Amino acid sequence: MNLFIHTLIFIAISGFLLSLIISRHKENNLSLIAWLTPGVSGLVSIIFIAVWLMKGAEPLNIKDLIIFKSSDYEFLLDFYFDKITAVFLTTGAFLTCLIALYSRYYLHRELGYKRFFNTLLLFYLGYNLTIFAGNFETLMIGWEILGISSFLLIAFYRDRYLPVKNAVKVFSIYRIGDVGLLLAMWASHHLWHQNITFSKLNNFELVHTKLLEHSSEGLFISIMLLITASAKSAQLPFSSWLPRAMEGPTPSSAIFYGALSVHIGVFLLLRTWPFLEHQYLIRTLTILLGICTAIIAHFIARVQSSVKSQVAYSSIAQIGIIFIEIALGWENIALIHFITNAFLRTYQLLTSPSMVAYAIREQFYHFKPRSRSIEDSLPKKIENSLYILSIKEWNLDLIMYKYIFGPLKSLGHKLDFLTPKNVFYYFLPLFAVGIAGRYFALIIPQFILEYLPSIWAFTGLIMVLKSFSEKKYPRLAWFLIIMNHCWMALAIIYNEKVDLLEIGLFLSGVILLGITGNAVLQKLKKTEPKHYNLFKYNGHVYEHRKMSFLFFISCLGVMGFPITATFIGEDLIFSHIREHQFLLACINALSYIVGGIALIRLYARLFLGPHAKPFHETALLSS
Amino acid sequence: MKQSNSFTFNEGACLHHLRHYLPAQAPLKDFIHHNTLHAFQEDHFHHALLKANTFFGYQVYLSVNEYQKKYKNGEIKLEVLEKVVERHKKDQFDTWIDKLLSNSESVESTSRIGKLRSYWKSIYHINLDKAIHPLLFRITGSYLDQGVSLWHFPVSKRGFLASVRELESNSYQHFIKGKRARNLLLKTHLKMEQLLEILIGKSELYEQYLFDQQFAHPGWSGMAATLEHKRDSLLHDRRISLHDLICLELLLEIDHLDQAFGENWRPLGSRISQSIPALFSPVKSSEHHQLQILWQEAYEWSYFDQVLIGLCKTSLIAQTNSKASFQAVFCIDDRECSLRRYLEHFEPDCKTFGTAGFFNVAFYFQPRDSDFYTKVCPAPLQPGHLIKESKPEAGEDSGLRKKTVGKSNWLLSQVNDIVAAIKLMFNIIKPTKSTAMVCSFDHMKEDSELTVECKDTQHKHNGLQVGFTLIEMADRVEGLLRTIGLVKDFGAWVYIVGHGASSINNTHYAGYDCGACSGRPGSVNARVFAQMANHKEVRKILRDRNIEIPDHTFFAGCIHDTTRDEIRFYEKDFPEGCNVDLHKTNKQTFEHALSFNARERSRRFVLMNTRKAAEKVHEKVKLRSMALFEPRPELNHATNALCIVGRRSFSQRLFLDRRSFLQSYDYQIDPEGDYLTGIMNAIAPVCGGINLEYYFSKVDNQRLGAGTKLPHNVMGLIGVANGMDGDLRPGLPSQMIEVHDPVRLLVIVEQLPEIVQRAISKEPATKQWFDNNWIHLIAITPDDRKCFRYQNGEFSLYYPADLHVEQCDNVLPVILKSTDSLPVYLMK
């Protein structure tokens, strides 16, 4: 049985890798790989599921590969398979295969044909890892891949302003959601004192006794998970990202934002439900959230005058209902609802261009002047208010900026005196103090010592925020993020007897790719001195494809994407934060998240968007 | 804040000026090709393009690199290039040749639009566009929406601004947050100037500011400006005007600035110290521009010269006096070019003709079961007639006209949707017809009846006369027959072939149908014409006018679907006593030719195996029209470059790919050039409009075209935009123009230059097209085959460059081998 899961993961990985190798002029081979990968894995999974059902459909848990192990910590890949996975797996494989077949012709001759299928397969890989994940660590790997592939697909038309802007926006909201997951992971390390697998969550007694002992921690974890799920599934207050994600080619919008990606939050809830279901407060919260989302999204959907945003908001409303179903414990109904919603939205998005033809034809032959809507029966003033509010999307987009990104940015602007030259004058002495503090910890009063890690982490956070809001110096932004990792490490070594090897593991990827990224930036500065800033999008990918790719990889490495050991280090660092250091955990999670956003922003501003040189054919910013 | 200055702002003139330059594309259902840069048509082509580039930053030529690439692969010929340089830069011939062929540095050209408004960013550090566009587009889109939203703009009976005002005045929620701006809105006698005074302060800058502002979102502004004068283009009546849109945007801007700075910020005009170049001040041609002119001319004439050589070299095909087996009158459309070639190939005794596809009958058409009229004639005409479609006895409605979405309960519709979703899955594996499809054959029911004859001229519908009187019919039939030179030797069958297209998932479907029928299929016109020409009384009148149509000749209306390459004959109309057997044979010839035509088209689709039997390829081509995933059901007018006005025998031996509009015209019947006048008056706007829309969409697909259609999002059923917050995208999507070669149209007339000159001079609007070189014009003398080129208002002898035109006895293998544009060949 284990072999099956391995095979499926292997198919997804090799499909993606193969698609990277094929030349971008070979359209046929690319699309072949693209639909064969989900096609074959769909077939395999159907056979597997048949066998599995016959054998009694017992959930499977495979403790797979221990990637890193120290005295009290292990990072292991763990896979899990049950009914939920089965449903998500078959639906995902079928729809991805369908979309790949569709896009084969649809994207014919489009610039970025290869890039599209690469991203699609990357997404499929991430999706598979996520739904097979048996523990939070494995889930996190898939999670990160989903985030990045989303970014790439939304910014598929990278020479226009709006797709790039919206891609950064969606990525940011995804990351905000990830704070929840990180903190949930951290808290559960301490709650269980072991690497908890999802299969153990099914153990009612285990969970129940734990929750009785540590109800507040349980509540914290649950709320964090709920936040993460809402962010990924565009529930309140995050909803406004979904319609804005509809910037890529229609089939990619259909599969990502109509069908699969948007239901990942639902998956997370279902997956962790054995843990959540014992907490009635959480169930109530989930129901309330679902109801609010469904109602508000319903109104917003009704006023949308563009097809795709209407589909997006209708989908959000349906997912709200799915949340309610989960909270009520109707797991099977939720699963069926997921399938139908996914299929329906895919269909609606794919046929959306037809609407012009058939809707107009219908009006032409069966014209009826506008009939009254239900809302017309409300008092006029209420109706008007509700209408305006819905047109403004209940200010959801504004709220995101006003209460999350705005304050973060203005905090970062406090450090506007920094330049790439002087940053080291501030950084090095302060850092030396930090290290000295660690070695003379014995003579420092306890109450100060207790706060020092948080102070160092906070310094790192401020630096990341500065990087996030930096407009002038790309290299400063780059340095600050790398320094943040050092601050994080510094904050951690205060804590316990941390192995230097572990710190090395954590910093290895950062430093290696930090240097690479720095080299790219220096070269870019030399070749494009006039268009080297962060005031606007510069679009250098148009002329400097290779540099762009290298820098993108560097960004991924530095943000702790699972391509270097930093990814494991990241998790390791978190495990060293003690359970009472709630503040430190929050700061670390926040700076980790904002760091990722700042990196993507940096990449997008330099390499994506309309080209800075006006002699290339460029689109208007508004188009 | 009041400043004394001598300059007064004239709101009306400014709006007029704006409207002139904004895109003039109607809502999607009424999409008609037109010259994208019509605003500049008063200038000579190259100067106009320079202006368009300097004012608005449009790319108006290919890049020098692209021209050089075309030179290297032989599309631009050295001989022609030298000739062009010789003519334009005689004294510095070598220097310019060097410049043309050397690696040119890209020049950072800067356009003038947006300069003034950019000061908000640099002085006030505020990004108005980012803050205001999404909301402005959404309000405008919701107001204009024709059926996407389920809950409509609550107030719509009045004008746009009045509706927004009413909504705002009676609501707890507001689009406009601040008191000052809201009070301004609620004043019913709101003046644009007043708003501009708050924002700008300096009246001499008002107009430039408005240009900057509106050209930041030309899509919505253009739509508002167009709908202001074309209200009948919306089924749900909406009253929008450019004035209202601008006022709302100005209010939102004031409001946003108020929110950021309080109410006491200084107007923009008072804080700009530098002088800003006036938007429309004179332009200067750069060296780069000169290079582009030379390249463009060389590019165009590299093809044109081949055609001219071919036309001059070929001796006339001997005019066989043998009776034609049948005659077929097609639309002038370039897509019929190859079909006619195949018909003539398989049935050498047939004769084909081309003319504008409304067949000289202009009217409104009222389909049965509909209360609306649609215009089926060239857009500028205002017909006074109405043709009604009615049910035959005991007819039943079926198929596509039924409601696509039923009113059923919620659960059932959910189930329906799931069923639909499953159907979709099958469509991807095997495309089939569905209700979402647009099909040219459905424009008119096969079995329905048309009210062609008007027996009572007092019988009017909304001021339109229903049907035509006998004299009116005779006039129209005679006009067409004389124009195309079909006045004798009638065969047993004369087919009048209208055309249309089929597609699915295609927002620009209207652009695929017949341009001469206002973007509708030409089936009704073809049928109406055939019925007129078959009318016994009409024939009597024609006989008096010296056109003798024998009794055994019958006209048959039909429709050719250019996407599926299918033909439908309206056989129900066939009169008693017609030769049905002969028709059956002809029908087979048509079917055969259509399959070959489909195969020829398929060479451009790349992903298809063209080597298979024509019938098999044809089946594949048909599938394309039903496939949801196919962004190119057909390639429309792509590669159009020529319009040949003359007898078929004049150009029949030339292989012109599918690049030529073909208008039949016999100089012998028209010694005074009267019919030619009519032809030229139609060709210039219709063919010229198509050609230039393709040209500009190709050279700047981002700003003058619609960009790639793959991410398009339908906005309110009237336009497409990218994503949720994008501006409307007028112009053609990249999938329509990617194989197009951007050259201007060359009209070649087989007639004496004097007569052509007279013909184009009668209508100033027509003359302008040729005078300003937006269309090239050549007259070839019928007898001795000399070329005369029209330039600077007169014809002068023109010698094409000495290019080799290959003789090719069998073009078929050559055609199928290549996926690119083909050169001219001389056929057997």
Side-chain angles (χ1 to χ4, degrees):
Chain A
M1 294 301 260
N2 297 2
L3 188 68
F4 273 107
I5 292 180
H6 287 161
T7 317
L8 289 173
I9 301 275
F10 175 75
I11 292 172
I13 291 181
S14 48
F16 170 63
L17 292 179
L18 260 176
S19 76
L20 285 181
I21 309 168
I22 298 171
S23 146
R24 64 190 153 114
H25 304 291
K26 296 238 159 77
E27 278 196 4
N28 271 333
N29 298 0
L30 278 168
S31 57
L32 191 71
I33 295 285
W35 74 263
L36 268 185
T37 306
V40 170
S41 84
L43 273 183
V44 172
S45 57
I46 286 171
I47 299 169
F48 168 54
I49 289 167
V51 175
W52 175 71
L53 284 175
M54 276 190 290
K55 285 195 173 174
E58 280 297 306
L60 296 174
N61 186 46
I62 308 163
K63 264 204 168 202
D64 216 293
L65 193 61
I66 296 177
I67 295 183
F68 182 83
K69 196 173 165 67
S70 70
S71 51
D72 56 350
Y73 173 84
E74 60 175 10
F75 188 100
L76 88 161
L77 285 183
D78 189 286
F79 296 118
Y80 185 69
F81 186 94
D82 66 350
K83 183 173 70 189
I84 300 165
T85 316
V87 169
F88 273 81
L89 176 65
T90 40
T91 313
F94 184 73
L95 283 175
T96 314
C97 181
L98 201 76
I99 290 295
L101 278 171
Y102 187 98
S103 312
R104 200 174 151 194
Y105 298 98
Y106 200 67
L107 268 99
H108 173 51
R109 286 204 216 171
E110 192 77 351
L111 265 164
Y113 191 89
K114 173 172 174 174
R115 193 153 45 91
F116 178 82
F117 286 109
N118 287 156
T119 320
L120 189 68
L121 287 169
L122 180 65
F123 164 77
Y124 188 65
L125 173 62
Y127 182 79
N128 267 297
L129 284 172
T130 308
I131 59 173
F132 277 124
N135 60 5
F136 280 119
E137 282 78 6
T138 320
L139 185 80
M140 196 69 189
I141 298 180
W143 212 255
E144 294 275 331
I145 297 179
L146 287 182
I148 285 295
S149 57
S150 268
F151 168 77
L152 289 174
L153 268 193
I154 299 169
F156 182 75
Y157 293 107
R158 52 194 185 187
D159 56 348
R160 280 194 286 111
Y161 166 72
L162 284 176
V164 177
K165 183 189 121 190
N166 284 332
V168 175
K169 186 179 254 176
V170 174
F171 184 79
S172 309
I173 292 181
Y174 268 27
R175 293 289 284 194
I176 295 290
D178 292 356
V179 177
L181 195 60
L182 268 179
L183 288 176
M185 272 165 79
W186 165 72
S188 58
H189 270 301
H190 292 293
L191 182 63
W192 307 99
H193 297 293
Q194 59 171 315
N195 193 320
I196 184 78
T197 60
F198 294 137
S199 69
K200 280 187 195 143
L201 291 184
N202 274 333
N203 185 334
F204 174 75
E205 270 166 35
L206 181 74
V207 174
H208 196 64
T209 45
K210 272 287 173 202
L211 282 177
L212 280 182
E213 289 166 26
H214 309 271
S215 61
S216 61
E217 273 149 352
L219 193 63
F220 176 74
I221 296 176
S222 313
I223 288 179
M224 287 300 129
L225 288 174
L226 192 56
I227 288 178
T228 310
S230 323
K232 270 281 202 251
S233 281
Q235 300 295 292
L236 289 181
F238 304 103
S239 309
S240 67
W241 70 261
L242 189 63
R244 281 170 184 74
M246 307 277 185
E247 291 280 5
T250 305
S252 75
S253 302
I255 186 163
F256 270 61
Y257 311 111
L260 300 181
S261 203
V262 71
H263 287 102
I264 284 294
V266 172
F267 173 80
L268 183 71
L269 272 196
L270 285 169
R271 179 52 80 230
T272 51
W273 194 247
F275 178 72
L276 305 180
E277 70 179 331
H278 307 291
Q279 303 168 58
Y280 284 91
L281 185 58
I282 290 300
R283 292 180 78 148
T284 325
L285 262 182
T286 313
I287 291 175
L288 278 178
L289 180 72
I291 290 176
C292 290
T293 309
I295 291 173
I296 288 181
H298 170 76
F299 280 117
I300 303 180
R302 283 179 62 83
V303 304
Q304 293 304 314
S305 55
S306 85
V307 179
K308 287 183 183 172
S309 53
Q310 190 179 68
V311 173
Y313 275 111
S314 318
S315 185
I316 293 173
Q318 291 294 321
I319 294 173
I321 297 173
I322 300 183
F323 269 42
I324 300 173
E325 289 158 1
I326 298 173
L328 291 173
W330 304 341
E331 190 186 80
N332 290 340
I333 289 181
L335 281 175
I336 293 169
H337 201 158
F338 151 66
I339 299 174
T340 52
N341 195 39
F343 273 73
L344 178 62
R345 302 307 163 192
T346 309
Y347 161 72
Q348 285 180 331
L349 282 172
L350 287 184
T351 54
S352 68
S354 294
M355 186 169 185
V356 186
Y358 73 74
I360 285 185
R361 181 176 50 220
E362 194 173 301
Q363 284 180 17
F364 198 84
Y365 292 109
H366 307 277
F367 184 78
K368 270 195 209 114
R370 288 277 165 86
S371 52
R372 287 165 56 87
S373 357
I374 305 167
E375 292 85 357
D376 288 342
S377 45
L378 293 169
K380 201 69 190 167
K381 196 160 184 178
I382 306 270
E383 185 197 353
N384 289 351
S385 310
L386 197 58
Y387 185 80
I388 292 184
L389 198 57
S390 302
I391 287 277
K392 293 199 290 184
E393 300 172 275
W394 290 61
N395 295 323
L396 288 173
D397 202 38
L398 215 66
I399 288 170
M400 280 285 100
Y401 185 82
K402 207 167 173 184
Y403 296 106
I404 299 182
F405 298 111
L408 290 180
K409 273 205 168 151
S410 57
L411 214 62
H413 281 304
K414 300 270 183 288
L415 291 189
D416 275 347
F417 56 88
L418 289 178
T419 66
K421 294 227 168 76
N422 71 18
V423 63
F424 288 101
Y425 299 132
Y426 295 100
F427 169 72
L428 287 176
L430 202 59
F431 198 73
V433 171
I435 293 189
R438 165 72 182 91
Y439 282 98
F440 301 104
L442 290 175
I443 55 167
I444 297 173
Q446 187 58 36
F447 71 96
I448 296 183
L449 200 61
E450 227 164 72
Y451 285 102
L452 270 183
S454 301
I455 289 172
W456 300 137
F458 189 70
T459 319
L461 176 64
I462 294 285
M463 293 205 156
V464 167
L465 291 178
K466 166 65 185 154
S467 169
F468 176 50
S469 56
E470 177 58 40
K471 288 203 160 167
K472 244 192 212 150
Y473 307 110
R475 268 176 78 201
L476 177 64
W478 187 249
F479 285 148
L480 287 173
I481 294 171
I482 293 173
M483 285 173 193
N484 170 47
H485 286 88
C486 301
W487 290 114
M488 268 200 221
L490 181 66
I492 294 307
I493 55 173
Y494 269 77
N495 250 342
E496 286 168 36
K497 281 188 182 162
V498 180
D499 203 342
L500 275 185
L501 178 78
E502 291 177 3
I503 295 294
L505 191 73
F506 172 54
L507 290 180
S508 61
V510 176
I511 288 173
L512 181 74
L513 288 166
I515 293 171
T516 324
N518 185 40
V520 174
L521 287 179
Q522 259 175 329
K523 190 164 175 223
L524 187 69
K525 190 181 177 184
K526 235 186 215 166
T527 38
E528 304 287 352
K530 267 201 220 159
H531 304 292
Y532 180 74
N533 60 57
L534 301 174
F535 289 116
K536 57 175 171 68
Y537 293 99
N538 287 289
H540 287 305
V541 67
Y542 193 92
E543 286 183 0
H544 307 292
R545 216 179 240 281
K546 275 185 191 146
M547 264 199 247
S548 161
F549 180 72
L550 207 59
F551 191 69
F552 183 63
I553 295 294
S554 310
C555 287
L556 291 187
V558 171
M559 77 172 69
F561 193 70
I563 46 172
T564 63
T566 300
F567 176 72
I568 299 165
E570 204 84 65
D571 190 51
L572 193 58
I573 292 272
F574 265 95
S575 71
H576 283 305
I577 301 174
R578 284 194 230 112
E579 46 192 308
H580 66 272
Q581 290 179 306
F582 178 69
L583 186 63
L584 181 59
C586 285
I587 293 174
N588 253 5
L590 201 58
S591 63
Y592 171 68
I593 292 318
V594 179
I597 302 174
L599 283 166
I600 282 297
R601 172 182 172 271
L602 182 62
Y603 169 71
R605 293 236 160 180
L606 285 176
F607 288 99
L608 306 183
H611 199 284
K613 299 176 187 169
F615 55 82
H616 294 307
E617 185 183 316
T618 50
L620 278 182
L621 294 188
S622 65
S623 64
Chain B
M1 222 182 287
K2 253 212 161 113
Q3 291 179 4
S4 60
N5 47 42
S6 50
F7 193 92
T8 47
F9 170 71
N10 180 342
E11 186 186 301
C14 171
L15 286 174
H16 182 75
H17 204 188
L18 263 169
R19 251 179 247 127
H20 181 63
Y21 284 101
L22 282 168
Q25 186 173 310
L28 287 172
K29 80 173 173 65
D30 291 332
F31 181 93
I32 296 168
H33 291 290
H34 74 297
N35 176 10
T36 321
L37 294 187
H38 61 93
F40 295 90
Q41 225 164 295
E42 288 152 22
D43 283 294
H44 188 271
F45 183 73
H46 292 299
H47 188 64
L49 263 50
L50 176 67
K51 275 183 163 179
N53 174 263
T54 324
F55 298 164
F56 297 114
Y58 303 137
Q59 306 291 324
V60 281
Y61 298 96
L62 295 176
S63 71
V64 171
N65 278 335
E66 283 168 290
Y67 286 121
Q68 287 174 340
K69 228 184 259 165
K70 290 193 183 290
Y71 172 73
K72 281 194 189 105
N73 68 24
E75 271 178 271
I76 299 179
K77 315 272 187 216
L78 181 62
E79 298 91 323
V80 181
L81 186 64
E82 284 177 350
K83 237 184 91 191
V84 168
V85 178
E86 173 99 28
R87 247 198 33 223
H88 289 261
K89 310 274 172 197
K90 204 163 185 183
D91 29 337
Q92 294 167 296
F93 181 82
D94 291 329
T95 0
W96 280 95
I97 289 281
D98 280 351
K99 276 181 189 164
L100 283 165
L101 297 178
S102 63
N103 281 334
S104 71
E105 300 251 315
S106 330
V107 199
E108 300 216 4
S109 65
T110 44
S111 59
R112 292 179 189 158
I113 195 82
K115 281 271 153 63
L116 173 58
R117 219 153 160 270
S118 71
Y119 285 104
W120 286 124
K121 248 184 174 173
S122 53
I123 301 179
Y124 294 74
H125 304 291
I126 197 161
N127 188 344
L128 286 179
D129 286 351
K130 193 176 163 188
I132 288 164
H133 279 179
L135 185 60
L136 179 74
F137 297 170
R138 223 168 298 150
I139 297 174
T140 318
S142 303
Y143 178 77
L144 289 177
D145 180 28
Q146 293 293 300
V148 175
S149 64
L150 303 165
W151 178 13
H152 322 298
F153 207 88
V155 192
S156 56
K157 293 276 177 288
R158 309 221 247 128
F160 178 51
L161 200 60
S163 300
V164 175
R165 183 179 295 133
E166 200 178 316
L167 192 62
E168 277 277 313
S169 64
N170 190 19
S171 166
Y172 300 108
Q173 278 287 327
H174 299 285
F175 294 128
I176 293 173
K177 298 183 202 104
K179 259 207 178 126
R180 170 160 81 157
R182 200 180 316 140
N183 286 339
L184 282 169
L185 169 70
L186 297 183
K187 271 205 301 199
T188 34
H189 47 274
L190 178 68
K191 278 255 169 53
M192 207 155 102
E193 200 170 349
Q194 194 186 353
L195 301 177
L196 283 163
E197 194 180 311
I198 299 174
L199 267 172
I200 311 302
K202 276 189 191 164
S203 57
E204 64 267 32
L205 293 178
Y206 290 176
E207 177 158 334
Q208 183 151 9
Y209 184 79
L210 290 181
F211 264 91
D212 280 7
Q213 187 195 50
Q214 295 307 300
F215 274 83
H217 50 78
W220 280 113
S221 305
M223 185 56 78
T226 308
L227 287 176
E228 188 173 342
H229 298 287
K230 229 178 137 33
R231 257 172 66 192
D232 55 349
S233 206
L234 299 179
L235 298 180
H236 295 278
D237 189 28
R238 291 288 178 277
R239 290 168 211 196
I240 196 162
S241 66
L242 190 59
H243 168 271
D244 284 4
L245 180 72
I246 293 175
C247 282
L248 181 64
E249 182 161 10
L250 291 171
L251 281 168
L252 287 170
E253 286 184 349
I254 293 175
D255 187 42
H256 189 72
L257 288 158
D258 280 355
Q259 296 300 310
F261 307 120
E263 287 183 12
N264 282 320
W265 40 275
R266 282 169 58 202
L268 184 69
S270 69
R271 290 189 61 178
I272 301 174
S273 41
Q274 303 95 318
S275 72
I276 303 153
L279 191 55
F280 295 108
S281 57
V283 294
K284 247 178 76 185
S285 175
S286 65
E287 183 182 297
H288 188 247
H289 178 236
Q290 290 296 318
L291 287 176
Q292 285 180 314
I293 293 179
L294 294 174
W295 274 121
Q296 179 62 27
E297 295 274 340
Y299 180 35
E300 290 171 347
W301 291 95
S302 289
Y303 182 69
F304 296 159
D305 279 357
Q306 293 177 44
V307 178
L308 294 174
I309 287 176
L311 285 175
C312 294
K313 259 192 187 167
T314 53
S315 54
L316 273 180
I317 288 184
Q319 284 283 345
T320 45
N321 277 332
S322 69
K323 258 193 158 174
S325 58
F326 66 84
Q327 279 131 340
V329 184
F330 285 91
C331 179
I332 187 174
D333 199 294
D334 50 319
R335 284 172 285 183
E336 305 290 17
C337 187
S338 54
L339 177 61
R340 289 172 62 181
R341 174 162 26 90
Y342 281 111
L343 271 180
E344 290 154 357
H345 178 76
F346 291 120
E347 177 53 62
D349 285 339
C350 80
K351 289 224 166 69
T352 66
F353 297 84
T355 183
F358 70 113
F359 302 109
N360 207 24
V361 277
F363 54 85
Y364 284 97
F365 172 57
Q366 184 183 18
R368 72 193 201 206
D369 312 323
S370 173
D371 298 331
F372 295 98
Y373 304 156
T374 87
K375 188 154 111 181
V376 278
C377 62
L381 298 186
Q382 295 302 333
H385 295 85
L386 176 71
I387 297 286
K388 292 174 104 177
E389 182 190 14
S390 55
K391 258 187 222 178
E393 307 299 305
E396 203 180 302
D397 233 352
S398 65
L400 295 170
R401 288 193 185 170
K402 278 204 173 146
K403 288 204 129 197
T404 16
V405 188
K407 261 205 177 159
S408 51
N409 66 52
W410 179 80
L411 187 71
L412 207 64
S413 74
Q414 288 284 309
V415 175
N416 274 340
D417 285 338
I418 301 299
V419 174
I422 291 165
K423 272 191 195 156
L424 160 89
M425 311 304 161
F426 285 111
N427 185 300
I428 289 170
I429 294 152
K430 189 173 174 18
T432 43
K433 274 201 179 187
S434 72
T435 46
M437 196 177 154
V438 182
C439 184
S440 63
F441 288 1
D442 294 321
H443 183 53
M444 167 178 54
K445 291 271 138 197
E446 194 176 5
D447 59 350
S448 60
E449 273 154 20
L450 301 173
T451 46
V452 176
E453 192 175 345
C454 171
K455 298 211 165 109
D456 172 15
T457 48
Q458 296 309 310
H459 180 63
K460 289 201 172 184
H461 273 235
N462 295 332
L464 300 173
Q465 177 187 318
V466 182
F468 294 84
T469 61
L470 287 175
I471 296 292
E472 283 169 341
M473 291 192 209
D475 288 346
R476 280 160 182 76
V477 176
E478 183 194 0
L480 182 82
L481 294 181
R482 288 204 191 274
T483 306
I484 63 174
L486 175 62
V487 286
K488 53 181 184 191
D489 301 329
F490 289 95
W493 285 99
V494 180
Y495 295 103
I496 307 293
V497 192
H499 71 96
S502 296
S503 57
I504 188 170
N505 242 3
N506 179 12
T507 47
H508 288 71
Y509 64 98
Y512 286 58
D513 285 330
C514 183
C517 299
S518 289
R520 303 278 182 266
S523 48
V524 190
N525 301 64
R527 233 179 121 180
V528 167
F529 184 89
Q531 287 189 22
M532 287 176 166
N534 283 338
H535 202 292
K536 292 230 166 68
E537 300 298 321
V538 173
R539 288 197 181 185
K540 239 184 232 163
I541 302 174
L542 288 176
R543 204 166 294 143
D544 297 339
R545 298 186 187 176
N546 271 332
I547 297 179
E548 173 79 42
I549 304 175
D551 288 341
H552 62 82
T553 296
F554 291 104
F555 287 74
C558 23
I559 171 100
H560 168 211
D561 190 308
T562 51
T563 319
R564 298 168 59 82
D565 264 322
E566 284 178 323
I567 193 162
R568 171 181 280 176
F569 299 90
Y570 290 95
E571 289 168 357
K572 184 176 172 282
D573 297 345
F574 287 3
E576 298 268 316
C578 61
N579 191 336
V580 178
D581 293 337
L582 201 58
H583 170 66
K584 275 187 182 149
T585 330
N586 296 340
K587 204 171 165 182
Q588 272 173 3
T589 314
F590 268 102
E591 303 285 346
H592 204 48
L594 283 165
S595 288
F596 274 74
N597 188 46
R599 184 166 72 161
E600 175 169 335
R601 284 169 50 214
S602 76
R603 78 187 182 89
R604 285 286 198 169
F605 297 153
V606 183
L607 287 180
M608 250 181 219
N609 183 359
T610 49
R611 271 147 229 266
K612 284 193 189 148
E615 280 72 20
K616 280 198 175 146
V617 181
H618 191 182
E619 286 308 311
K620 287 258 166 76
V621 169
K622 282 184 197 169
L623 285 186
R624 287 175 85 84
S625 68
M626 304 181 288
L628 283 168
F629 49 73
E630 186 50 75
R632 302 168 189 80
E634 65 162 287
L635 296 172
N636 284 44
H637 301 285
T639 73
N640 76 81
L642 298 168
C643 178
I644 296 178
V645 182
R647 293 167 296 169
R648 179 61 179 151
S649 54
F650 175 61
S651 59
Q652 196 170 354
R653 282 195 55 205
L654 232 45
F655 171 73
L656 297 172
D657 202 350
R658 289 160 56 79
R659 303 190 67 172
S660 183
F661 295 95
L662 295 171
Q663 167 74 45
S664 295
Y665 169 71
D666 190 340
Y667 70 97
Q668 294 160 350
I669 308 179
D670 190 33
E672 296 298 315
D674 294 334
Y675 291 109
L676 188 61
T677 309
I679 291 176
M680 295 310 255
N681 286 344
I683 282 179
V686 174
C687 304
I690 292 173
N691 173 272
L692 288 167
E693 177 141 56
Y694 271 77
Y695 178 99
F696 291 117
S697 287
K698 170 78 183 187
V699 292
D700 193 347
N701 193 238
Q702 294 283 17
R703 296 211 181 178
L704 296 172
T708 169
K709 77 198 286 187
L710 306 193
H712 279 174
N713 187 5
V714 175
M715 310 298 267
L717 303 182
I718 55 173
V720 290
N722 290 313
M724 182 197 190
D725 292 330
D727 187 19
L728 290 185
R729 299 290 306 255
L732 304 178
S734 69
Q735 281 76 10
M736 281 169 88
I737 48 86
E738 61 187 347
V739 301
H740 183 64
D741 296 325
V743 295
R744 274 170 285 171
L745 191 72
L746 168 65
V747 178
I748 303 171
V749 188
E750 186 197 22
Q751 178 59 289
L752 298 172
E754 308 85 82
I755 295 171
V756 181
Q757 173 117 30
R758 204 180 312 146
I760 58 168
S761 302
K762 285 193 184 145
E763 182 71 53
T766 308
K767 192 159 182 288
Q768 193 186 52
W769 285 85
F770 298 104
D771 276 350
N772 288 339
N773 238 245
W774 292 76
I775 302 178
H776 294 295
L777 177 60
I778 290 259
I780 296 186
T781 49
D783 299 327
D784 51 0
R785 299 269 167 142
K786 281 207 171 107
C787 301
F788 289 84
R789 181 174 173 192
Y790 185 75
Q791 255 184 323
N792 308 322
E794 57 184 17
F795 278 98
S796 53
L797 204 54
Y798 176 81
Y799 299 101
D802 192 16
L803 300 174
H804 175 65
V805 177
E806 223 174 301
Q807 175 89 29
C808 186
D809 289 341
N810 188 6
V811 283
L812 223 92
V814 183
I815 297 172
L816 298 183
K817 235 186 274 169
S818 164
T819 57
D820 299 319
S821 295
L822 292 169
V824 175
Y825 291 110
L826 286 177
M827 299 186 294
K828 203 166 43 172

